[in-house]
Amino acid sequence: LLQERLKTEMERIDPDTSEPIVAGTDLTVPEIKYEYLDHTADVQLHAWGDDLKETFENVAVAMFGYMTEIDTVEMKDTFSIEAEGDDMEGLLFHFLDEWLFAFSAEPFFIPRKVIITEFDKENFKIKSTGFGEEFDIQKHPQGTEVKAITYSAMQVYDDPEKQQHEVYVIIDI
């Protein structure tokens, strides 16, 4: 089912092109707004942002940062995913699971930056594009393998009045 739902698009970038990615795309690497928390036999990702969209983007990068030294990833290619869920936790689960699938199977894509292009918080649908490249063991130090995303102790906080936009996700390693 995951493969049926997975709608992906990868664009190879011509190194001779003056505009390798869509003109105007901000490829500034955002400040780190995530941390890794100890958890028995697993790792808990904690990410935050100025809004829930940025928080989701940050937790995706956090997951990949656990898998390799993220600063070794060049933004040469793009890869897009779509996900949906029955609620916000389900959406977060499927969003991360789609990104994990993009890394674990062809094209073995690892993004340095993730931008959410559509975020429907009422119908729990998301579209996003990653900017990165194919994972290369010669270039990217191998970190810890992420086997799966879990619902265990998953938390999503989205309170604009308190300016609290955080997620906690346990990944199975």
Side-chain angles (χ1 to χ4, degrees):
L1 292 175
L2 180 61
Q3 289 178 336
E4 291 173 16
R5 284 192 349 263
L6 184 61
K7 294 178 183 173
T8 61
E9 176 180 299
M10 185 168 180
E11 300 174 11
R12 275 279 165 209
I13 304 306
D14 181 352
D16 298 326
T17 305
S18 61
E19 297 178 349
I21 295 176
V22 177
T25 300
D26 179 11
L27 294 180
T28 305
V29 176
E31 73 176 276
I32 294 175
K33 293 184 181 180
Y34 58 82
E35 63 184 341
Y36 305 107
L37 304 173
D38 290 332
H39 186 273
T40 307
D42 294 317
V43 172
Q44 186 174 38
L45 306 176
H46 172 218
W48 57 92
D50 293 337
D51 54 28
L52 197 58
K53 176 181 163 292
E54 182 186 17
T55 302
F56 271 51
E57 292 168 347
N58 289 336
V59 77
V61 173
M63 178 178 71
F64 288 110
Y66 204 76
M67 297 162 74
T68 191
E69 292 177 19
I70 199 74
D71 56 349
T72 64
V73 177
E74 293 181 64
M75 292 185 274
K76 301 190 307 186
D77 303 324
T78 64
F79 192 83
S80 298
I81 63 104
E82 296 181 15
E84 57 185 75
D86 295 326
D87 55 21
M88 198 55 72
E89 289 80 9
L91 180 59
L92 177 58
F93 175 92
H94 291 293
F95 171 70
L96 291 175
D97 198 45
E98 293 290 344
W99 277 116
L100 182 58
F101 183 79
F103 175 81
S104 301
E106 287 283 344
F108 308 108
F109 187 80
I110 187 160
R112 173 70 178 98
K113 181 175 184 170
V114 173
I115 296 175
I116 294 175
T117 55
E118 293 181 33
F119 195 0
D120 184 342
K121 294 196 284 186
E122 292 179 12
N123 296 305
F124 309 111
K125 294 181 181 182
I126 203 165
K127 292 182 182 180
S128 66
T129 299
F131 299 85
E133 61 186 325
E134 183 176 333
F135 183 81
D136 179 354
I137 194 67
Q138 302 300 319
K139 180 179 180 182
H140 307 112
Q142 188 169 359
T144 304
E145 178 186 7
V146 175
K147 296 177 190 169
I149 312 304
T150 74
Y151 278 103
S152 176
M154 183 181 284
Q155 300 171 55
V156 177
Y157 296 103
D158 185 27
D159 189 339
E161 289 180 17
K162 293 182 182 177
Q163 296 182 340
Q164 181 184 26
H165 311 282
E166 299 179 78
V167 296
Y168 293 86
V169 181
I170 293 176
I171 52 176
D172 184 18
I173 57 172

Tab-separated table of all heavy atoms in Angstrom, residues 2-48:
chain	number	residue	atom	x	y	z
A	2	LEU	N	1.965	1.200	0.719
A	2	LEU	CA	2.824	2.370	0.789
A	2	LEU	C	3.317	2.749	-0.593
A	2	LEU	O	3.304	3.915	-0.965
A	2	LEU	CB	4.008	2.114	1.732
A	2	LEU	CG	4.991	3.265	1.911
A	2	LEU	CD1	4.274	4.479	2.508
A	2	LEU	CD2	6.117	2.829	2.802
A	3	GLN	N	3.706	1.750	-1.375
A	3	GLN	CA	4.197	2.041	-2.711
A	3	GLN	C	3.088	2.583	-3.600
A	3	GLN	O	3.336	3.415	-4.463
A	3	GLN	CB	4.819	0.794	-3.334
A	3	GLN	CG	6.131	0.419	-2.678
A	3	GLN	CD	6.725	-0.842	-3.278
A	3	GLN	OE1	6.009	-1.657	-3.832
A	3	GLN	NE2	8.023	-1.005	-3.126
A	4	GLU	N	1.858	2.123	-3.388
A	4	GLU	CA	0.745	2.625	-4.181
A	4	GLU	C	0.463	4.083	-3.839
A	4	GLU	O	0.144	4.879	-4.707
A	4	GLU	CB	-0.503	1.778	-3.934
A	4	GLU	CG	-0.398	0.369	-4.501
A	4	GLU	CD	-1.574	-0.506	-4.109
A	4	GLU	OE1	-2.609	0.039	-3.671
A	4	GLU	OE2	-1.464	-1.729	-4.234
A	5	ARG	N	0.578	4.440	-2.546
A	5	ARG	CA	0.310	5.807	-2.122
A	5	ARG	C	1.457	6.742	-2.470
A	5	ARG	O	1.262	7.937	-2.591
A	5	ARG	CB	0.091	5.870	-0.608
A	5	ARG	CG	-1.234	5.374	-0.157
A	5	ARG	CD	-1.515	5.712	1.305
A	5	ARG	NE	-0.387	6.208	2.035
A	5	ARG	CZ	0.399	5.468	2.828
A	5	ARG	NH1	0.202	4.204	2.957
A	5	ARG	NH2	1.396	6.030	3.496
A	6	LEU	N	2.625	6.171	-2.584
A	6	LEU	CA	3.808	7.003	-2.799
A	6	LEU	C	3.781	7.621	-4.186
A	6	LEU	O	3.809	6.933	-5.188
A	6	LEU	CB	5.074	6.172	-2.629
A	6	LEU	CG	6.394	6.927	-2.731
A	6	LEU	CD1	6.475	7.982	-1.640
A	6	LEU	CD2	7.541	5.966	-2.600
A	7	LYS	N	3.668	8.927	-4.219
A	7	LYS	CA	3.712	9.659	-5.483
A	7	LYS	C	4.990	10.475	-5.418
A	7	LYS	O	5.104	11.406	-4.649
A	7	LYS	CB	2.500	10.572	-5.612
A	7	LYS	CG	1.198	9.827	-5.720
A	7	LYS	CD	0.039	10.769	-5.786
A	7	LYS	CE	-1.249	9.995	-5.812
A	7	LYS	NZ	-2.407	10.859	-5.714
A	8	THR	N	5.941	10.086	-6.204
A	8	THR	CA	7.239	10.737	-6.098
A	8	THR	C	7.647	11.355	-7.412
A	8	THR	O	7.142	11.004	-8.471
A	8	THR	CB	8.317	9.732	-5.671
A	8	THR	OG1	8.393	8.726	-6.656
A	8	THR	CG2	8.011	9.139	-4.326
A	9	GLU	N	8.583	12.234	-7.280
A	9	GLU	CA	9.091	12.907	-8.457
A	9	GLU	C	10.527	13.302	-8.151
A	9	GLU	O	10.789	14.001	-7.198
A	9	GLU	CB	8.226	14.144	-8.680
A	9	GLU	CG	8.658	15.017	-9.799
A	9	GLU	CD	7.717	16.207	-9.908
A	9	GLU	OE1	6.517	15.996	-10.143
A	9	GLU	OE2	8.196	17.313	-9.740
A	10	MET	N	11.438	12.796	-8.931
A	10	MET	CA	12.833	13.144	-8.725
A	10	MET	C	13.349	13.814	-9.978
A	10	MET	O	13.109	13.341	-11.072
A	10	MET	CB	13.668	11.913	-8.406
A	10	MET	CG	15.089	12.231	-8.073
A	10	MET	SD	15.912	10.801	-7.383
A	10	MET	CE	17.511	11.517	-7.115
A	11	GLU	N	13.992	14.917	-9.779
A	11	GLU	CA	14.537	15.652	-10.897
A	11	GLU	C	16.049	15.637	-10.795
A	11	GLU	O	16.613	16.043	-9.803
A	11	GLU	CB	14.047	17.093	-10.874
A	11	GLU	CG	12.539	17.221	-10.954
A	11	GLU	CD	12.090	18.661	-10.788
A	11	GLU	OE1	12.932	19.573	-10.810
A	11	GLU	OE2	10.894	18.852	-10.624
A	12	ARG	N	16.712	15.152	-11.828
A	12	ARG	CA	18.172	15.211	-11.892
A	12	ARG	C	18.546	16.633	-12.275
A	12	ARG	O	17.912	17.248	-13.124
A	12	ARG	CB	18.715	14.250	-12.944
A	12	ARG	CG	18.874	12.888	-12.422
A	12	ARG	CD	20.175	12.813	-11.643
A	12	ARG	NE	20.126	11.611	-10.865
A	12	ARG	CZ	20.731	11.463	-9.732
A	12	ARG	NH1	21.430	12.412	-9.209
A	12	ARG	NH2	20.649	10.343	-9.071
A	13	ILE	N	19.551	17.126	-11.673
A	13	ILE	CA	19.989	18.491	-11.907
A	13	ILE	C	21.175	18.489	-12.862
A	13	ILE	O	22.133	17.755	-12.692
A	13	ILE	CB	20.376	19.159	-10.574
A	13	ILE	CG1	19.211	19.094	-9.579
A	13	ILE	CG2	20.820	20.587	-10.804
A	13	ILE	CD1	17.915	19.647	-10.093
A	14	ASP	N	21.118	19.318	-13.861
A	14	ASP	CA	22.209	19.484	-14.808
A	14	ASP	C	23.222	20.437	-14.190
A	14	ASP	O	22.902	21.594	-13.919
A	14	ASP	CB	21.665	20.063	-16.113
A	14	ASP	CG	22.743	20.248	-17.171
A	14	ASP	OD1	23.940	20.073	-16.864
A	14	ASP	OD2	22.366	20.564	-18.311
A	15	PRO	N	24.459	19.970	-13.917
A	15	PRO	CA	25.439	20.833	-13.264
A	15	PRO	C	25.820	22.052	-14.094
A	15	PRO	O	26.366	23.013	-13.577
A	15	PRO	CB	26.651	19.918	-13.047
A	15	PRO	CG	26.442	18.740	-13.923
A	15	PRO	CD	24.977	18.643	-14.205
A	16	ASP	N	25.508	22.045	-15.398
A	16	ASP	CA	25.831	23.183	-16.250
A	16	ASP	C	24.734	24.242	-16.251
A	16	ASP	O	24.897	25.314	-16.820
A	16	ASP	CB	26.072	22.709	-17.686
A	16	ASP	CG	27.252	21.750	-17.775
A	16	ASP	OD1	28.214	21.933	-17.002
A	16	ASP	OD2	27.201	20.837	-18.614
A	17	THR	N	23.616	23.948	-15.624
A	17	THR	CA	22.493	24.870	-15.612
A	17	THR	C	22.724	25.940	-14.559
A	17	THR	O	23.127	25.663	-13.457
A	17	THR	CB	21.181	24.117	-15.287
A	17	THR	OG1	21.036	23.055	-16.213
A	17	THR	CG2	19.990	25.023	-15.367
A	18	SER	N	22.417	27.181	-14.884
A	18	SER	CA	22.620	28.263	-13.925
A	18	SER	C	21.530	28.270	-12.860
A	18	SER	O	21.704	28.872	-11.816
A	18	SER	CB	22.670	29.611	-14.633
A	18	SER	OG	21.455	29.858	-15.296
A	19	GLU	N	20.388	27.642	-13.130
A	19	GLU	CA	19.303	27.564	-12.163
A	19	GLU	C	18.978	26.101	-11.924
A	19	GLU	O	18.032	25.561	-12.477
A	19	GLU	CB	18.079	28.326	-12.665
A	19	GLU	CG	18.340	29.801	-12.833
A	19	GLU	CD	17.125	30.530	-13.381
A	19	GLU	OE1	16.169	29.888	-13.813
A	19	GLU	OE2	17.162	31.742	-13.353
A	20	PRO	N	19.785	25.408	-11.090
A	20	PRO	CA	19.643	23.964	-10.934
A	20	PRO	C	18.344	23.522	-10.276
A	20	PRO	O	17.881	22.439	-10.498
A	20	PRO	CB	20.836	23.582	-10.066
A	20	PRO	CG	21.195	24.833	-9.355
A	20	PRO	CD	20.834	25.958	-10.279
A	21	ILE	N	17.751	24.372	-9.482
A	21	ILE	CA	16.478	24.073	-8.830
A	21	ILE	C	15.579	25.251	-9.179
A	21	ILE	O	16.054	26.280	-9.640
A	21	ILE	CB	16.691	23.896	-7.313
A	21	ILE	CG1	17.574	22.654	-7.087
A	21	ILE	CG2	15.393	23.753	-6.562
A	21	ILE	CD1	17.971	22.384	-5.679
A	22	VAL	N	14.301	25.141	-8.979
A	22	VAL	CA	13.367	26.189	-9.359
A	22	VAL	C	13.895	27.551	-8.916
A	22	VAL	O	14.265	27.729	-7.749
A	22	VAL	CB	11.977	25.927	-8.740
A	22	VAL	CG1	11.024	27.053	-9.068
A	22	VAL	CG2	11.418	24.606	-9.235
A	23	ALA	N	13.934	28.486	-9.841
A	23	ALA	CA	14.423	29.828	-9.546
A	23	ALA	C	13.647	30.416	-8.370
A	23	ALA	O	12.429	30.293	-8.294
A	23	ALA	CB	14.295	30.717	-10.768
A	24	GLY	N	14.359	31.014	-7.465
A	24	GLY	CA	13.729	31.641	-6.314
A	24	GLY	C	13.583	30.736	-5.109
A	24	GLY	O	13.158	31.176	-4.053
A	25	THR	N	13.912	29.447	-5.257
A	25	THR	CA	13.815	28.530	-4.132
A	25	THR	C	14.865	28.884	-3.096
A	25	THR	O	16.042	29.005	-3.409
A	25	THR	CB	14.018	27.072	-4.589
A	25	THR	OG1	13.019	26.750	-5.548
A	25	THR	CG2	13.917	26.108	-3.421
A	26	ASP	N	14.445	29.087	-1.866
A	26	ASP	CA	15.362	29.421	-0.780
A	26	ASP	C	16.032	28.150	-0.288
A	26	ASP	O	15.400	27.310	0.332
A	26	ASP	CB	14.604	30.094	0.364
A	26	ASP	CG	15.493	30.445	1.546
A	26	ASP	OD1	16.737	30.355	1.421
A	26	ASP	OD2	14.942	30.822	2.594
A	27	LEU	N	17.316	28.008	-0.567
A	27	LEU	CA	18.063	26.831	-0.135
A	27	LEU	C	18.935	27.135	1.078
A	27	LEU	O	19.860	26.393	1.381
A	27	LEU	CB	18.913	26.286	-1.286
A	27	LEU	CG	18.122	25.714	-2.460
A	27	LEU	CD1	19.050	25.195	-3.540
A	27	LEU	CD2	17.185	24.613	-1.990
A	28	THR	N	18.602	28.197	1.774
A	28	THR	CA	19.305	28.492	3.016
A	28	THR	C	18.996	27.381	4.001
A	28	THR	O	17.835	27.049	4.238
A	28	THR	CB	18.835	29.838	3.607
A	28	THR	OG1	19.001	30.848	2.617
A	28	THR	CG2	19.606	30.180	4.864
A	29	VAL	N	20.036	26.794	4.569
A	29	VAL	CA	19.831	25.728	5.546
A	29	VAL	C	19.343	26.370	6.838
A	29	VAL	O	20.012	27.243	7.394
A	29	VAL	CB	21.129	24.930	5.771
A	29	VAL	CG1	20.932	23.887	6.845
A	29	VAL	CG2	21.590	24.292	4.470
A	30	PRO	N	18.174	25.964	7.318
A	30	PRO	CA	17.634	26.590	8.525
A	30	PRO	C	18.435	26.212	9.769
A	30	PRO	O	19.142	25.205	9.783
A	30	PRO	CB	16.208	26.041	8.608
A	30	PRO	CG	16.225	24.789	7.810
A	30	PRO	CD	17.301	24.940	6.778
A	31	GLU	N	18.299	27.044	10.809
A	31	GLU	CA	18.972	26.720	12.060
A	31	GLU	C	18.404	25.423	12.621
A	31	GLU	O	17.273	25.046	12.330
A	31	GLU	CB	18.834	27.852	13.072
A	31	GLU	CG	17.448	27.980	13.685
A	31	GLU	CD	17.377	29.052	14.760
A	31	GLU	OE1	17.719	28.763	15.914
A	31	GLU	OE2	16.956	30.166	14.418
A	32	ILE	N	19.208	24.733	13.397
A	32	ILE	CA	18.783	23.454	13.960
A	32	ILE	C	17.740	23.696	15.040
A	32	ILE	O	17.991	24.411	16.015
A	32	ILE	CB	19.988	22.680	14.515
A	32	ILE	CG1	20.911	22.286	13.365
A	32	ILE	CG2	19.530	21.449	15.310
A	32	ILE	CD1	22.196	21.626	13.805
A	33	LYS	N	16.590	23.101	14.834
A	33	LYS	CA	15.496	23.194	15.794
A	33	LYS	C	14.997	21.789	16.098
A	33	LYS	O	13.837	21.468	15.920
A	33	LYS	CB	14.362	24.070	15.252
A	33	LYS	CG	14.748	25.528	15.094
A	33	LYS	CD	13.574	26.369	14.642
A	33	LYS	CE	13.953	27.813	14.472
A	33	LYS	NZ	12.803	28.623	14.021
A	34	TYR	N	15.939	20.941	16.501
A	34	TYR	CA	15.602	19.588	16.913
A	34	TYR	C	16.703	19.069	17.804
A	34	TYR	O	17.797	19.632	17.865
A	34	TYR	CB	15.389	18.654	15.709
A	34	TYR	CG	16.565	18.526	14.762
A	34	TYR	CD1	17.619	17.651	15.038
A	34	TYR	CD2	16.624	19.251	13.589
A	34	TYR	CE1	18.691	17.519	14.177
A	34	TYR	CE2	17.696	19.123	12.712
A	34	TYR	CZ	18.717	18.249	13.019
A	34	TYR	OH	19.780	18.120	12.150
A	35	GLU	N	16.381	17.982	18.526
A	35	GLU	CA	17.357	17.330	19.382
A	35	GLU	C	17.026	15.850	19.451
A	35	GLU	O	15.925	15.424	19.100
A	35	GLU	CB	17.366	17.946	20.788
A	35	GLU	CG	16.051	17.777	21.539
A	35	GLU	CD	16.017	18.474	22.886
A	35	GLU	OE1	17.077	18.801	23.425
A	35	GLU	OE2	14.903	18.687	23.402
A	36	TYR	N	17.999	15.066	19.908
A	36	TYR	CA	17.815	13.636	20.078
A	36	TYR	C	17.739	13.353	21.569
A	36	TYR	O	18.601	13.785	22.338
A	36	TYR	CB	18.983	12.857	19.443
A	36	TYR	CG	19.185	13.218	17.991
A	36	TYR	CD1	20.265	13.983	17.585
A	36	TYR	CD2	18.272	12.808	17.028
A	36	TYR	CE1	20.442	14.327	16.251
A	36	TYR	CE2	18.438	13.147	15.696
A	36	TYR	CZ	19.521	13.903	15.318
A	36	TYR	OH	19.685	14.247	13.995
A	37	LEU	N	16.701	12.645	21.971
A	37	LEU	CA	16.508	12.308	23.378
A	37	LEU	C	16.698	10.807	23.548
A	37	LEU	O	16.251	10.021	22.713
A	37	LEU	CB	15.105	12.728	23.841
A	37	LEU	CG	14.766	14.214	23.624
A	37	LEU	CD1	13.303	14.471	23.953
A	37	LEU	CD2	15.666	15.098	24.477
A	38	ASP	N	17.341	10.410	24.631
A	38	ASP	CA	17.553	8.994	24.903
A	38	ASP	C	16.222	8.299	25.157
A	38	ASP	O	15.314	8.848	25.779
A	38	ASP	CB	18.456	8.804	26.128
A	38	ASP	CG	19.889	9.216	25.854
A	38	ASP	OD1	20.308	9.140	24.687
A	38	ASP	OD2	20.578	9.614	26.811
A	39	HIS	N	16.142	7.082	24.677
A	39	HIS	CA	14.961	6.253	24.884
A	39	HIS	C	15.433	4.807	24.809
A	39	HIS	O	16.262	4.460	23.969
A	39	HIS	CB	13.909	6.539	23.797
A	39	HIS	CG	12.621	5.834	24.039
A	39	HIS	ND1	12.384	4.561	23.603
A	39	HIS	CD2	11.514	6.229	24.692
A	39	HIS	CE1	11.168	4.201	23.962
A	39	HIS	NE2	10.616	5.197	24.624
A	40	THR	N	14.928	3.973	25.667
A	40	THR	CA	15.358	2.582	25.716
A	40	THR	C	15.230	1.918	24.350
A	40	THR	O	14.138	1.831	23.805
A	40	THR	CB	14.515	1.803	26.751
A	40	THR	OG1	14.560	2.503	27.980
A	40	THR	CG2	15.043	0.395	26.936
A	41	ALA	N	16.357	1.481	23.796
A	41	ALA	CA	16.447	0.729	22.537
A	41	ALA	C	15.992	1.509	21.302
A	41	ALA	O	16.021	0.994	20.203
A	41	ALA	CB	15.674	-0.584	22.626
A	42	ASP	N	15.552	2.726	21.470
A	42	ASP	CA	15.103	3.550	20.357
A	42	ASP	C	15.654	4.959	20.543
A	42	ASP	O	16.391	5.228	21.472
A	42	ASP	CB	13.572	3.598	20.283
A	42	ASP	CG	12.956	2.250	19.943
A	42	ASP	OD1	13.486	1.570	19.052
A	42	ASP	OD2	11.945	1.893	20.558
A	43	VAL	N	15.262	5.845	19.664
A	43	VAL	CA	15.637	7.251	19.782
A	43	VAL	C	14.380	8.089	19.642
A	43	VAL	O	13.525	7.815	18.800
A	43	VAL	CB	16.643	7.652	18.683
A	43	VAL	CG1	16.892	9.148	18.679
A	43	VAL	CG2	17.942	6.910	18.860
A	44	GLN	N	14.275	9.110	20.478
A	44	GLN	CA	13.143	10.026	20.376
A	44	GLN	C	13.617	11.313	19.715
A	44	GLN	O	14.600	11.916	20.146
A	44	GLN	CB	12.560	10.334	21.755
A	44	GLN	CG	11.304	11.172	21.680
A	44	GLN	CD	10.645	11.348	23.036
A	44	GLN	OE1	11.307	11.491	24.053
A	44	GLN	NE2	9.323	11.357	23.035
A	45	LEU	N	12.926	11.693	18.659
A	45	LEU	CA	13.202	12.953	17.992
A	45	LEU	C	12.290	14.010	18.595
A	45	LEU	O	11.096	13.768	18.780
A	45	LEU	CB	12.921	12.849	16.484
A	45	LEU	CG	13.612	11.735	15.719
A	45	LEU	CD1	13.132	11.728	14.264
A	45	LEU	CD2	15.118	11.886	15.784
A	46	HIS	N	12.835	15.158	18.898
A	46	HIS	CA	12.064	16.293	19.393
A	46	HIS	C	12.381	17.459	18.476
A	46	HIS	O	13.543	17.853	18.349
A	46	HIS	CB	12.460	16.621	20.834
A	46	HIS	CG	11.845	17.885	21.356
A	46	HIS	ND1	12.531	18.748	22.177
A	46	HIS	CD2	10.618	18.423	21.169
A	46	HIS	CE1	11.751	19.779	22.475
A	46	HIS	NE2	10.585	19.605	21.878
A	47	ALA	N	11.371	17.979	17.794
A	47	ALA	CA	11.580	19.094	16.873
A	47	ALA	C	10.570	20.192	17.173
A	47	ALA	O	9.494	19.940	17.716
A	47	ALA	CB	11.427	18.630	15.424
A	48	TRP	N	10.939	21.415	16.811
A	48	TRP	CA	10.082	22.565	17.029
A	48	TRP	C	10.281	23.543	15.888
A	48	TRP	O	11.200	23.412	15.084
A	48	TRP	CB	10.375	23.216	18.381
A	48	TRP	CG	11.814	23.635	18.546
A	48	TRP	CD1	12.362	24.858	18.259
A	48	TRP	CD2	12.893	22.811	19.014
A	48	TRP	NE1	13.714	24.836	18.521
A	48	TRP	CE2	14.070	23.600	18.997
A	48	TRP	CE3	12.995	21.493	19.447
A	48	TRP	CZ2	15.311	23.122	19.384
A	48	TRP	CZ3	14.230	21.007	19.834
A	48	TRP	CH2	15.371	21.815	19.809
